[in-house]
Amino acid sequence: MIRLVLAFTLTLLATLPARAAIDIQEVETPDGLTAWLVEEHSIPFLALELRFQGGTSLDAPEKRGATNLMTALLEEGAGEMDSQAFTVATESLAAEFRFRSNDDSISISAKVLTENRDEALELLRQALVVPRFDADAIERVRGQVLAGIESDATDPDAIASRRFHELAFGDHPYGSVSDGTAKSVAALTKEDLVNAHGAALARDRVYASAVGDITAEELAGLLDTLLSGLPETGAAIPDRIDYTLEGGLTLVDFDTPQSVILFGQRGLKRHDPDFFPAYVMAQILGGGGFSSRLMEEVREKRGLTYGIGAYLYPMDLSEMFMGMTSTVNARAAETVAVIQDEWKRLEEEGVSAEELERAQTYLTGAYPLRFDGNGRIANILVGMQMDGLTPDYVRTRNDRINAVTVEDIKRVAAELVDPEGLHFVVVGKPEGLEATN
């Protein structure tokens, strides 16, 4: 389920508003690190975002879950401070730190007041460079992870996601859950966590951004101090893997009144010349709101579901074109048939001028208003860097959306949309469906 949420989140970069107020500076530190900065001195507050490329995909096959557990332990004590002391020190400075991991990255978010900035970021430095991994903290957080794994084992959404990725990516890290299995997590040792730390948190893969009350010179010095204790290089990032799952239908028997339906096919790289036409096309097919084709056909006309979506899912090492919905078991077969019909209609007909105009208005208008606040902007700027975008993207993005034509989408739909390659994973007790594998 985490991957599905992430997939929707990744599309946010393509909806960043063209805000003239965002003046992005590129900052190079004396030690050779690069960061993006948006100065905003009206409020004595700083949001700092760090992202380390590689993420949980760096786990050794027999140590799956090590990076996830390690990341969760970064706030559980550092240097001379145990977990409780670290928490008290952080709260006394009114600082906020968040540590998160996914398949492709580890993210560290910090929000600090200007008056406490140096002290707060010294705490963050210790969490990054000298985490303690105390035995009691390891067991407490391990228990939390194991509880999550146990919960996912009975969650139809999580079951569908896990099965689809297994089918699509096999032995590649993308083919298994980043949290690990109950067996692999239970076996992890402190040494495994130390190794995962050195593999994932390295200077050769860090991206940084800052938004708020700080100058370029101050940021340069701050970053060098913050990251200087980390190793220069980390573990090798895994090879790319092509999505090769053939079309068909996989059934996972599960006793629930509703069937979860996850569907997908090969996708498109973020830097493909046709990404923007494909992105607008995906919005028309299954984007947010009630105006998408899938919402119209599956929910509005037939009442088969409360919600359905489809989206491009470009990852660092592969890419997919995905969708998800759920429906009562008795109507699962009808739902699958309607999705297949809409996939085929898009491939054959493309979209109308009215649909294109509506999607362009939506993508360049109301939706970007959600991107507000220093922390959100810092998060988006780091994502832009990891995607290889340039700072002027915030000014050119809307123009690229508006430049998409009906002809562009028809061409891309004919090349990308693959009804025969669409694979469904259905979790539940669906009526009228037979597995093809």
Side-chain angles (χ1 to χ4, degrees):
M1 186 61 183
I2 292 173
R3 278 176 169 139
L4 298 177
V5 173
L6 175 62
F8 284 106
T9 304
L10 289 174
T11 66
L12 298 184
L13 291 178
T15 59
L16 183 65
R19 292 177 56 181
I22 296 181
D23 180 17
I24 303 172
Q25 303 176 55
E26 293 187 84
V27 177
E28 184 170 349
T29 76
D31 287 349
L33 299 173
T34 300
W36 288 8
L37 166 66
V38 176
E39 289 191 50
E40 175 51 66
H41 298 287
S42 61
I43 300 175
F45 168 79
L46 173 68
L48 177 68
E49 188 78 17
L50 303 174
R51 200 161 300 168
F52 294 84
Q53 191 170 28
T56 61
S57 293
L58 299 175
D59 284 339
E62 68 279 8
K63 304 294 183 181
R64 197 65 167 130
T67 302
N68 175 68
L69 181 57
M70 177 275 294
T71 304
L73 283 160
L74 293 178
E75 59 184 334
E76 296 290 338
E80 298 300 318
M81 294 173 287
D82 63 13
S83 178
Q84 183 176 0
F86 186 86
T87 298
V88 170
T90 302
E91 292 178 349
S92 70
L93 295 171
E96 179 183 325
F97 304 136
R98 292 185 65 197
F99 304 87
R100 306 178 303 282
S101 63
N102 60 51
D103 287 331
D104 291 327
S105 66
I106 293 175
S107 300
I108 293 94
S109 304
K111 297 178 181 179
V112 299
L113 299 174
T114 301
E115 62 180 294
N116 299 329
R117 188 174 69 204
D118 291 345
E119 297 93 330
L121 293 182
E122 171 56 22
L123 287 178
L124 180 59
R125 186 195 69 79
Q126 292 189 49
L128 293 175
V129 177
V130 285
R132 290 170 62 101
F133 301 131
D134 290 331
D136 60 337
I138 291 174
E139 293 312 310
R140 182 176 64 256
V141 178
R142 190 201 310 269
Q144 295 168 0
V145 173
L146 289 172
I149 292 172
E150 182 179 2
S151 176
D152 284 347
T154 57
D155 180 344
D157 291 348
I159 294 170
S161 178
R162 181 171 66 247
R163 185 63 178 136
F164 196 99
H165 282 80
E166 288 172 351
L167 292 169
F169 300 115
D171 293 336
H172 190 276
Y174 284 174
S176 59
V177 179
S178 60
D179 288 357
T181 66
K183 180 179 180 181
S184 68
V185 172
L188 292 173
T189 66
K190 179 176 180 178
E191 182 181 4
D192 294 329
L193 301 178
V194 171
N195 291 338
H197 177 269
L201 299 185
R203 289 164 52 88
D204 67 335
R205 63 200 55 204
V206 66
Y207 297 81
S209 70
V211 180
D213 187 24
I214 193 169
T215 66
E217 183 178 4
E218 290 170 331
L219 178 62
L222 178 156
L223 287 174
D224 279 347
T225 299
L226 185 63
L227 302 173
S228 61
L230 294 176
E232 286 296 325
T233 59
I237 293 175
D239 294 334
R240 278 188 51 83
I241 180 169
D242 291 332
Y243 175 95
T244 58
L245 179 60
E246 296 180 352
L249 192 145
T250 298
L251 295 181
V252 180
D253 185 63
F254 190 77
D255 190 12
T256 177
Q258 285 204 325
S259 290
V260 169
I261 303 171
L262 185 64
F263 49 97
Q265 60 149 89
R266 63 184 176 86
L268 201 67
K269 295 178 181 179
R270 179 61 183 82
H271 285 286
D272 191 287
D274 285 328
F275 179 81
F276 275 97
Y279 176 74
V280 178
M281 178 192 72
Q283 171 67 28
I284 294 169
L285 175 65
F290 289 90
S291 62
S292 76
R293 287 185 177 183
L294 289 176
M295 282 291 282
E296 175 69 18
E297 296 296 329
V298 178
R299 172 176 170 155
E300 296 302 306
K301 288 186 178 180
R302 296 171 176 84
L304 296 171
T305 187
Y306 284 110
I308 184 171
Y311 47 90
L312 293 177
Y313 188 179
M315 303 170 287
D316 282 1
L317 306 176
S318 195
E319 46 280 328
M320 296 187 288
F321 186 7
M322 300 289 295
M324 187 177 185
T325 190
S326 62
T327 190
V328 294
N329 289 322
R331 304 192 73 182
E334 182 183 0
T335 302
V336 168
V338 174
I339 294 168
Q340 289 173 322
D341 288 345
E342 288 307 305
W343 226 260
K344 188 170 185 62
R345 180 161 75 97
L346 181 61
E347 178 203 31
E348 294 177 346
E349 301 177 9
V351 303
S352 69
E354 180 182 357
E355 288 176 315
L356 174 58
E357 182 180 3
R358 186 164 60 239
Q360 289 170 325
T361 299
Y362 178 79
L363 292 173
T364 60
Y367 189 68
L369 297 178
R370 296 183 182 181
F371 293 86
D372 192 17
N374 290 6
R376 291 184 179 182
I377 296 172
N379 182 52
I380 289 168
L381 295 187
V382 165
M384 287 172 57
Q385 293 175 66
M386 291 193 70
D387 273 347
L389 302 174
T390 57
D392 68 349
Y393 178 80
V394 298
R395 295 188 297 274
T396 64
R397 175 262 170 202
N398 278 357
D399 292 338
R400 297 182 186 184
I401 291 289
N402 285 327
V404 174
T405 66
V406 170
E407 292 73 23
D408 290 333
I409 293 180
K410 185 172 181 59
R411 172 179 52 78
V412 170
E415 296 173 355
L416 176 64
V417 179
D418 183 12
E420 298 302 317
L422 192 60
H423 195 98
F424 291 83
V425 171
V426 182
V427 178
K429 289 188 173 295
E431 299 176 15
L433 289 176
E434 293 186 5
T436 60
N437 60 332

